[in-house]
Amino acid sequence: MHVLILGGTTEARRLAGLLHGTPGLELTSSLAGRVASPRLPPGEVRVGGFGGTEGLTAWLRERAVDALIDATHPFAATISFHAARAAATAHVPLLALRRPGWVPVEGDRWHEAGSLEHAARLLPALGRRVFLTTGRMGLPAFAALDELWFLVRSVDAPEPPHPSHGEILLDRGPFTLDGERELLRRHRIDVVVTKDSGGAATAPKLTAAREARLPVVVVRRPPVPEGVPEVGEPEQAARWVAERLATAPRA
């Protein structure tokens, strides 16, 4: 039984670790290739795009994939739609592994935004020194805000256009609460911007902002394909695979 994991996320790596070495299971993890030095999961790994829905459909057929798991980032909406269409065309069972989104608690001062551009429009009224944690691909949306200062955190160095006033911090989670508190204090941050990525790896910044009573602009997740079965934990996805493996025909 051949399983393809569309990954790159912490959950995808955890799932690959749970499945790797299972008798009767061939496992392939696919990474988009947007990070220069990604953390690789165990097992076979391919890097790069498939060439849209048609390319992914052809790959599923050529490699005789028996099950497809979409464990991509919550903001990687395009590949999720490609996966849904390709799985339907190739008649391959599809499961979405999506980490739950963050939920505000008492003391949070969240301002929801429907897009990065919307978040940029909100900023001038909320603060002057911004902790921007939306990833390097979305920085052009904030490039014109010359009156603000930005601490931009990114795994890899961003290319222009990006905010011209501020500092680039190259770092990769998980992050600690003490570390996030110190960042906010040292850089005199008065507003935080984040995507609703969910998960624990980058959540401490929300706690640190709440403690400091800072406003946080939270970019809502994009829509995902309808009708795709969904789980929130790698262990649930591993059980889904195990159920199919148990009923797979034997050679």
Side-chain angles (χ1 to χ4, degrees):
M1 178 177 168
H2 187 188
V3 175
L4 172 63
I5 301 174
L6 303 177
T9 59
T10 300
E11 290 77 16
R13 289 191 298 273
R14 283 174 52 197
L15 176 59
L18 292 170
L19 297 178
H20 181 60
T22 300
L25 186 67
E26 178 185 357
L27 180 65
T28 305
S29 295
S30 178
L31 311 183
R34 292 185 175 180
V35 177
S37 299
R39 292 172 176 167
L40 298 180
E44 180 183 350
V45 178
R46 69 174 303 280
V47 178
F50 289 93
T53 300
E54 293 77 12
L56 179 54
T57 302
W59 203 93
L60 295 176
R61 287 170 169 164
E62 291 167 3
R63 295 293 301 269
V65 172
D66 299 291
L68 176 62
I69 299 176
D70 175 12
T72 55
H73 192 275
F75 282 80
T78 299
I79 185 60
S80 292
F81 280 95
H82 288 171
R85 289 192 288 264
T89 302
H91 304 291
V92 173
L94 170 65
L95 178 72
L97 170 55
R98 296 194 180 97
R99 68 183 73 150
W102 290 317
V103 178
V105 300
E106 184 177 356
D108 281 327
R109 298 175 58 197
W110 286 13
H111 300 260
E112 287 198 354
S115 65
L116 292 174
E117 291 74 17
H118 184 196
R121 293 194 297 271
L122 294 176
L123 279 180
L126 296 174
R128 313 303 293 177
R129 297 182 66 83
V130 184
F131 184 23
L132 186 56
T133 66
T134 56
R136 63 187 176 90
M137 303 300 290
L139 294 183
F142 304 89
L145 296 175
D146 293 333
E147 72 276 19
L148 305 183
W149 186 93
F150 288 86
L151 175 63
V152 177
R153 184 161 67 192
S154 174
V155 175
D156 295 321
E159 298 180 356
H162 55 69
S164 56
H165 299 298
E167 180 179 330
I168 305 293
L169 174 62
L170 301 183
D171 203 356
R172 187 201 305 258
F175 302 105
T176 67
L177 179 55
D178 285 343
E180 300 295 64
R181 287 169 174 155
E182 174 60 18
L183 273 184
L184 298 183
R185 184 199 63 78
R186 185 186 341 134
H187 295 282
R188 295 179 288 116
I189 299 299
D190 55 17
V191 59
V192 177
V193 184
T194 182
K195 294 177 178 177
D196 180 17
S197 299
T202 60
K205 64 189 170 191
L206 301 175
T207 302
R210 183 188 316 124
E211 292 176 348
R213 299 191 57 79
L214 300 182
V216 179
V217 179
V218 181
V219 181
R220 293 191 300 269
R221 295 182 175 189
V224 295
E226 296 181 357
V228 177
E230 183 175 328
V231 296
E233 297 293 337
E235 291 76 11
Q236 295 171 298
R239 288 195 293 270
W240 181 84
V241 171
E243 290 169 359
R244 276 146 188 80
L245 183 60
T247 59
R250 304 301 183 200

